[in-house]
Amino acid sequence: ISLAVVPGALPDASEQARIRQQITAAADSYRAIIAAQGYRVPIRAGSNGHYPWGSNSLVANNAIVLALAHDFTRDERYASGVVQAMDYLLGKNPLALSYVSGFGDHAFENPHHRFWAHQKRSSFPHPPPGVLAGGPNSRRQDPTTSRLGARPPQRCYIDHVDAWSVNEVAINWNAPLAWLAAYLDD
């Protein structure tokens, strides 16, 4: 991505154009995934039908690829994909839950965090607005989510401080959220 966006990063301009085309081709595959899903999200359950740990990170990172394709081509279909991804993160999903704290009518409140752990101890604070939860993880890799029972991959989530496999917050999925928010604000 750095080679695609930094002017003069490569001595041969045709090489930068080739890299931009590869990013646009990846964005085309994400648009196809969005078109095939009811909740218009740029990821699909894996070949074995599961959503992975940090699935919201995939949504956000794939949306960055869509945004870059929009920058390179000015094709509004890519920008629409970015908006659809953000819509999913902000509550247009099977749970009608915003995975971003403090945003939406029904936002998650109980991240797996050592400090933002009000659910564990009332003297601890709630998360500040703008924190992205990891999201659905159909492998249910902690004791809290293992009790969820059978459900579709996009519904394998619980807003609980002990549900570390779905409610963990991490810089590697919050950074792309910040990037997307700035991009959409522009």
Side-chain angles (χ1 to χ4, degrees), residues 123-136:
S123 63
F124 286 178
H126 291 280
V131 176
L132 180 64

Side-chain angles (χ1 to χ4, degrees), residues 103-114:
F103 288 88
D105 292 335
H106 181 60
F108 99 102
E109 298 176 342
N110 301 299
H112 176 72
H113 196 273
R114 301 296 186 267

Side-chain angles (χ1 to χ4, degrees), residues 160-181:
H160 194 283
V161 68
D162 292 330
W164 42 264
S165 71
V166 297
N167 233 23
E168 177 185 42
V169 295
I171 190 68
N172 53 312
W173 41 78
N174 281 273
L177 175 69
W179 192 100
L180 287 174

